[in-house]
Amino acid sequence: MVNSSLERCFMFWKSIVFAALALVSLGHRTAVAQIGVIDFQIVDSESKQQIPARIHLWDSTGKFVRPPTLPFWHDHFVCNGKVRLRVPPGDYRFEIERGPEYRIHYGNFRMLPGARESKVIPLRRILDMSKNGWYSGDLHIRREVKDIPLLMQAEDLYVAPVITWWNQSNKWANHELPESPLQRVEEKRFMHVLSGADERDGGVLLYHKMPAVVDITEGTKHYPSSMHYLIPIRKMPGVHIDIEKPFWWDTPLWIASGMVDSIGLLNNHLQRNKMVSNEAWGKQRDVKRFPGVHGNGQWSQEIYYQILNTGHRIAPSAGSASGTLGNPVGYNRVYVFCGQEFSWDTWWENLKQGKVVVTNGPLMRPLVNGEVPGHVFTAERGESLTLQATLSLAVQDKVEYLEIVRDGLVIENIPLDEYAKMGGRLPGVEFKQSGWMLIRAVTNNSKTYRLASSGPFYVEIGGSRRISKAATQFFIDWLKERQLLVQLDDPQQQQDVLRYYIAAEKYWKSVLEASNVD
């Protein structure tokens, strides 16, 4: 009798459990049935050929849609030009890009329960810079090596040095180094997977074209000096060394060393939809002189112009820091003019020579008296030179103004409609003494500092460079301020670090003695 009651009780609860499981299963099947499918196919609007691209896709709450198998970062993913996504019912919006040479495609769709949608997205090319001899690269990439080929194709990027080791991190620690760190993605796309970075209290140096990983794990906040690593790395054949941002505390030290090849004029503080508006690890800007959203970017330019005014000819570069901050790969990029001679080595050599345009939006192909940036125009003492710039410009965002910057000062501010009337020919600039000039196009984007800048064109009259006393004193004062910030408990370590600053200060004082203006 008891057993019979227990059996009936057991059967009763068993039926309830099975009913509950059935309801859960039914609910799951119903939820799955409500999931919709959206197919994207991205094509070049002229050729109709499928092209890789980047997709930003948001639901109605602003949440990013993240595919399970494609390279995703921050708020976007890339695909080879065709992707199928399963998404819940609701409203969605998207932006599809392929670097700055294509128009951004904006769109939206409503996904009904269980529906299937298909969209063919034609991307219209604004300009093919490579056909005109200009090839793009990004000097600050921290994404997974396996994803780089597709990222390069989706962003239409030709040169990608990938940072895989820095300070306490080494992605090769548990893996064999590749047989060749330089890898060809396509016929004209190259990636290199042994770039490194020394990033500490004095700032960040990027080491490119490295033949091997360098162990810098012993480096602490101040000790040893960044020069401890810079000096031996500089001796490695073919290495390219980049100052990642102009405002780093150790910038005057690195410039004095004569061991750097370029400097990040457009850096990761300039982001796709916002600015990082501070100078952490660096010399702070005067916010009264450089206020608001654009202030940090303008401060970087001010410092770079001061470097040029001291007679140093260092090329501007660009880097996005995708993988660290939210930028896509190639958002800040440097175009290097190679003409018909494009190769991995030519690109880096011409970057070092300053044959460049840096941009995070506008596309610019400048010539001055028929020459590309980096050219040095010469004349005898007592003679003068007139430089005439011609400019081809293509943009996604509206450009607010074009500027000619001479020796750090804007001497021409040209509204875009005036530029159009001039047929791409800018006002001539007369030089009666040595100096430099560059061309800058700034957009009216209110969220971030979006611009393009040519590398400098140099003028040398009478065989001497322009060396400004005021600009040189600016870096002497900077070095003195920097030395006060170096505080080490070990007196020997303190002395070992400070000796580099003392030597740099002596160098800048010798530059001051050679100054010929101000």
Side-chain angles (χ1 to χ4, degrees):
M1 190 75 169
V2 173
N3 287 340
S4 177
S5 298
L6 288 173
E7 183 176 345
R8 285 196 301 272
C9 183
F10 173 75
M11 294 300 295
F12 171 76
W13 285 110
K14 183 177 179 181
S15 65
I16 290 177
V17 169
F18 275 118
L21 290 173
L23 287 173
V24 169
S25 177
L26 177 63
H28 175 70
R29 290 198 301 272
T30 302
V32 170
Q34 288 185 343
I35 295 294
V37 175
I38 175 73
D39 287 311
F40 285 105
Q41 184 179 16
I42 304 155
V43 300
D44 182 281
S45 64
E46 291 189 8
S47 70
K48 309 304 179 186
Q49 296 296 309
Q50 181 176 303
I51 53 174
R54 168 172 26 103
I55 300 177
H56 301 250
L57 178 61
W58 300 269
D59 66 18
S60 59
T61 68
K63 183 181 178 181
F64 312 120
V65 174
R66 178 174 184 168
T69 60
L70 292 174
F72 179 89
W73 176 249
H74 185 60
D75 63 353
H76 60 272
F77 61 91
V78 297
C79 67
N80 66 2
K82 193 171 185 178
V83 61
R84 171 168 292 177
L85 302 170
R86 290 174 171 80
V87 295
D91 293 325
Y92 295 84
R93 64 183 180 90
F94 60 86
E95 297 174 9
I96 300 179
E97 300 186 42
R98 192 173 191 251
E101 297 181 31
Y102 283 82
R103 293 283 183 202
I104 302 173
H105 187 101
Y106 300 91
N108 56 73
F109 63 91
R110 173 167 292 177
M111 180 58 67
L112 298 176
R116 301 181 73 92
E117 297 282 344
S118 180
K119 288 188 175 293
V120 176
I121 307 296
L123 293 186
R124 185 165 71 86
R125 186 182 277 277
I126 303 170
L127 182 67
D128 189 337
M129 292 284 282
S130 67
K131 282 188 176 180
N132 295 280
W134 294 87
Y135 292 86
S136 59
D138 181 341
L139 267 62
H140 197 171
I141 300 173
R142 303 211 187 195
R143 301 290 292 275
E144 293 298 323
V145 169
K146 65 181 177 59
D147 294 335
I148 299 301
L150 182 56
L151 287 165
M152 292 182 69
Q153 294 166 335
E155 302 295 349
D156 200 17
L157 200 68
Y158 286 88
V159 174
V162 189
I163 296 170
T164 54
W165 57 271
W166 61 95
N167 301 94
Q168 305 303 316
S169 298
N170 177 6
K171 293 192 175 184
W172 303 107
N174 299 314
H175 303 278
E176 286 189 16
L177 292 176
E179 185 175 333
S180 172
L182 176 61
Q183 301 170 21
R184 193 186 293 265
V185 174
E186 291 176 344
E187 181 184 358
K188 288 190 173 182
R189 300 189 198 274
F190 297 92
M191 59 184 278
H192 191 288
V193 299
L194 289 187
S195 287
D198 183 6
E199 47 185 26
R200 290 180 289 143
D201 183 64
V204 181
L205 282 176
L206 303 181
Y207 295 113
H208 297 303
K209 299 180 70 183
M210 292 290 292
V213 173
V214 175
D215 183 5
I216 61 174
T217 55
E218 66 177 3
T220 59
K221 181 178 180 180
H222 288 308
Y223 187 82
S225 168
S226 57
M227 296 298 298
H228 177 77
Y229 304 117
L230 173 59
I231 292 171
I233 289 175
R234 177 74 278 175
K235 295 177 182 178
M236 296 179 179
V239 169
H240 183 101
I241 299 172
D242 182 80
I243 300 175
E244 193 264 343
K245 292 184 182 75
F247 55 77
W248 292 137
W249 271 120
D250 280 352
T251 292
L253 170 65
W254 297 328
I255 298 294
S257 75
M259 297 182 185
V260 296
D261 301 303
S262 58
I263 185 167
L265 189 62
L266 301 191
N267 51 67
N268 61 31
H269 279 219
L270 285 67
Q271 299 189 19
R272 184 174 178 266
N273 288 315
K274 66 177 183 178
M275 286 288 297
V276 177
S277 192
N278 64 56
E279 291 79 42
W281 291 9
K283 186 168 176 61
Q284 304 296 301
R285 74 184 192 271
D286 180 347
V287 294
K288 292 182 179 178
R289 285 189 63 211
F290 303 104
V293 171
H294 292 179
N296 175 270
Q298 291 170 339
W299 177 227
S300 285
Q301 289 178 104
E302 169 82 1
I303 295 168
Y304 179 61
Y305 298 163
Q306 295 282 49
I307 292 170
L308 298 177
N309 279 338
T310 61
H312 294 88
R313 294 174 180 169
I314 299 176
S317 66
S320 303
S322 186
T324 301
L325 296 181
N327 278 330
V329 167
Y331 172 70
N332 296 312
R333 62 179 63 193
V334 53
Y335 281 93
V336 178
F337 182 76
C338 298
Q340 302 301 314
E341 305 296 325
F342 175 68
S343 69
W344 169 259
D345 289 327
T346 300
W347 192 90
W348 286 97
E349 180 59 33
N350 289 5
L351 167 60
K352 184 175 180 179
Q353 293 177 18
K355 299 179 179 181
V356 303
V357 166
V358 294
T359 185
N360 50 28
L363 298 172
M364 176 193 295
R365 289 180 289 126
L367 293 174
V368 169
N369 290 13
E371 303 289 348
V372 297
H375 188 77
V376 181
F377 298 94
T378 62
E380 298 296 326
R381 188 177 304 278
E383 295 180 354
S384 64
L385 280 173
T386 297
L387 302 188
Q388 180 74 59
T390 56
L391 183 69
S392 174
L393 182 69
V395 298
Q396 291 179 345
D397 291 341
K398 182 180 178 181
V399 166
E400 189 172 2
Y401 47 83
L402 289 170
E403 294 177 329
I404 298 177
V405 179
R406 171 180 171 169
D407 300 335
L409 299 176
V410 176
I411 61 167
E412 294 285 351
N413 189 310
I414 308 157
L416 202 60
D417 57 349
E418 291 296 319
Y419 157 77
K421 292 176 184 177
M422 297 162 69
R425 189 177 176 88
L426 304 186
V429 181
E430 184 181 18
F431 283 83
K432 294 183 179 180
Q433 59 182 6
S434 299
W436 57 271
M437 64 172 280
L438 58 76
I439 302 160
R440 186 169 67 184
V442 182
T443 74
N444 58 4
N445 191 301
S446 61
K447 294 181 179 180
T448 189
Y449 195 27
R450 190 162 290 163
L451 73 154
S453 174
S454 75
F457 299 84
Y458 302 101
V459 173
E460 197 171 288
I461 296 178
S464 64
R465 303 184 183 189
R466 181 181 194 274
I467 302 176
S468 161
K469 179 179 179 181
T472 306
Q473 188 63 52
F474 171 76
F475 290 110
I476 292 173
D477 295 341
W478 183 333
L479 273 171
K480 291 178 179 177
E481 186 179 0
R482 168 57 177 159
Q483 291 176 62
L484 296 176
L485 299 176
V486 178
Q487 299 293 330
L488 290 162
D489 294 333
D490 186 317
Q492 183 59 48
Q493 289 186 354
Q494 178 88 357
Q495 183 179 351
D496 186 48
V497 171
L498 288 180
R499 65 190 176 96
Y500 292 108
Y501 296 109
I502 293 169
E505 190 173 336
K506 288 180 180 178
Y507 167 81
W508 282 107
K509 286 180 178 177
S510 71
V511 176
L512 186 65
E513 291 175 1
S515 61
N516 50 29
V517 295
D518 297 333

